[in-house]
Amino acid sequence: MGEFVDELQAIVGGDHVLTDPDMRRSHEVDWTRRYEGTSVAVVRPATTDEVAAVLRCCARAGVAVVAQGGNTGLVGGGVPRGAVPSIVLSMLRFSTLGPVDAEAMQVTVGAGVTMAGWRDHARAAGLDAPVDFAARDSATVGGAIATNAGGSRVLRFGTMRSQVVGVEAVLATGGVVGSLAGLPKETAGVHWPSLLAGSEGTLAVVTRARLRLVPRFDHTVTAFVAVGSVDDAVALLGILRRDVPSLDAAEVVLPAALELVVEHLGRAAPVTTPADGCCVMIDCADSADPTEQLTSALHRAGERGLVVDTAFATDATQRAGLLEFRDRITEAIATVSTAVGSPPLKLDVAVPVSALAELTATAHAAAADDGSQLIGFGHLAEGNLHLNFLDAGDPATIASAVLGRVAELGGTISAEHGIGVAKTPWLHLIRAAEDRAAQQALRAALDPAGILNPGVLAPELRAT
Ligand code: MLT
Ligand code: ZN
């Protein structure tokens, strides 16, 4: 590997090829600490040409490439694995923020720009980023494209896929594809943003992206509402979607998740939740004060017996305080998992909203059978639950029970985190053999040496 490392150093410079185990470590273990591996080196290119040269070099040497952004992934798709020699291709030096095009409502940014960086840049120009989630300060645009990330604003603006109006990406062969023109209309063959969003670093490495921007709403209001059941939460969602045009987020938090984050924050719970109920965190944003819109919708929901308890926040400080009860659940889970020395089993699933109650019941039953604790929360409008099983005795059995039922309910085994290596054993539940074979053929055509993230999305694929 000495010659190979020398070649990498000649491409990106000695300072940007990390071979020291201590320097590599934070890139080799994922956020959950469930997935880890060893790399030959962490390579930090700064230009598209450097990425192309690194990929060509890896293809020649038969070394796998794991592209990595902020390393906030939860399914083991962004860290090295297995016996295949690999490098981590850290994209963090692609940190350029282009000028905001206010008329087109677009901006071009480097793949290593964080989600918060994209948002703050847009806000400074009077606009906003349409995607937001808790890992915003570390997660990068490139990673969000690779996983087709979602977050809390999907009900209003869609997932990351809908925001990418252009990409520049490097194929495993070193060829550069895509366009950053951001044309809203164009029919000229393959639409690279569509192909690459959700491909988890298996088809190409995104270096830059042209992203959609949305209006910045300066008037916001947040409510935490306790309801009697998951079905009541879905009924409340129906009212909100119909009567509250400023609806920006509707997040669901099951009682154990609220209890955990309350304990973690050392604060009093914002609402009292019935044991069989749940909470809905509602965020509204508009160019005029949306308080009246939200309060009257909640009043109508109350008349239908859907509201058990409500906490309201209109000023920025109170709002930030309320949002913490949703945003910091993942951190609370990580804290208790670290304390018991067992990483949580994380399932990120979605079903039609009408099946959410059934999914919740299945997850509770799986936790009870295993003797683990279920911490559930997620994105109500997409029927997307993050089911975390703490101190799971038999993670594979829990996963099979829950993911099997999810598939029967017409859902997906990955809503926004990706398949990574964590979910490959269950991919067959939602993708037929012909579908998987077609995806592998596409992958082989674009990456003949099989170097891009082998083991992700298809466990049988390995670098040659
Ligand atoms: C979230 O919605 O907070 C994220 O998807 C992270 C998680 O599931 O833990
Ligand atoms: Zn989420």
Side-chain angles (χ1 to χ4, degrees), residues 275-331:
D276 292 335
C278 62
C279 293
V280 181
M281 196 213 73
I282 304 159
D283 213 21
C284 295
D286 210 340
S287 40
D289 186 359
T291 306
E292 165 62 24
Q293 221 177 65
L294 178 58
T295 44
S296 40
L298 288 178
H299 181 72
R300 279 191 294 285
E303 284 175 344
R304 282 176 50 185
L306 296 175
V307 175
V308 174
D309 195 8
T310 309
F312 231 82
T314 44
D315 82 66
T317 314
Q318 284 175 342
R319 233 186 114 239
L322 215 44
L323 290 169
E324 280 194 325
F325 290 109
R326 161 62 183 88
D327 260 10
R328 294 185 63 186
I329 298 173
T330 302
E331 179 191 309

Side-chain angles (χ1 to χ4, degrees), residues 317-461:
T317 314
Q318 284 175 342
R319 233 186 114 239
L322 215 44
L323 290 169
E324 280 194 325
F325 290 109
R326 161 62 183 88
D327 260 10
R328 294 185 63 186
I329 298 173
T330 302
E331 179 191 309
I333 291 168
T335 304
V336 289
S337 305
T338 306
V340 296
S342 156
L345 167 66
K346 285 180 170 285
L347 301 178
D348 159 45
V349 297
V351 293
V353 282
S354 55
L356 260 181
E358 179 142 11
L359 169 62
T360 311
T362 301
H364 277 301
D369 288 349
D370 182 74
S372 52
Q373 191 193 0
L374 172 66
I375 304 295
F377 63 101
H379 313 285
L380 181 61
E382 292 80 44
N384 177 192
L385 284 187
H386 300 311
L387 300 168
N388 293 262
F389 297 85
L390 303 189
D391 213 7
D394 184 355
T397 300
I398 299 175
S400 292
V402 174
L403 300 181
R405 189 71 191 122
V406 161
E408 284 166 8
L409 292 169
T412 179
I413 65 166
S414 169
E416 59 172 6
H417 295 170
I419 295 294
V421 294
K423 307 289 154 39
T424 50
W426 296 278
L427 190 54
H428 65 95
L429 292 172
I430 54 160
R431 297 286 187 173
E434 295 86 340
D435 186 322
R436 299 198 308 279
Q439 292 200 37
Q440 290 193 21
L442 175 65
R443 197 162 163 178
L446 293 182
D447 175 16
I451 58 165
L452 292 182
N453 235 355
V456 162
L457 271 166
E460 58 275 23
L461 291 184

Side-chain angles (χ1 to χ4, degrees), residues 143-280:
I145 295 172
T147 53
N148 186 25
S152 61
R153 308 189 84 188
V154 172
L155 67 86
R156 195 169 201 174
F157 299 118
T159 64
M160 197 64 190
R161 174 174 286 133
S162 313
Q163 324 310 334
V164 191
V165 288
V167 286
E168 173 191 83
V170 186
L171 299 172
T173 50
V176 179
V177 296
S179 152
L180 295 167
L183 299 174
K185 292 178 89 173
E186 186 186 42
T187 51
V190 165
H191 185 242
W192 289 100
S194 305
L195 191 64
L196 298 183
S199 65
E200 300 189 42
T202 65
L203 298 180
V205 176
V206 173
T207 46
R208 291 191 292 161
R210 183 82 177 160
L211 300 174
R212 193 162 81 95
L213 301 174
V214 295
R216 188 185 77 188
F217 299 118
D218 291 329
H219 296 268
T220 43
V221 57
T222 302
F224 228 85
V225 180
V227 296
S229 67
V230 172
D231 278 335
D232 282 0
V234 173
L236 172 61
L237 173 72
I239 295 174
L240 296 170
R241 296 200 88 164
R242 197 187 54 227
D243 297 349
V244 184
S246 62
L247 185 63
D248 212 276
E251 304 280 283
V252 59
V253 180
L254 298 183
L258 183 61
E259 232 170 82
L260 186 78
V261 75
V262 158
E263 172 91 22
H264 179 69
L265 296 174
R267 295 173 47 197
V271 288
T272 305
T273 318
D276 292 335
C278 62
C279 293
V280 181

Side-chain angles (χ1 to χ4, degrees), residues 92-105:
L92 294 180
R93 291 176 73 212
F94 282 78
S95 55
T96 311
L97 293 160
V100 168
D101 183 337
E103 286 74 37
M105 294 184 68

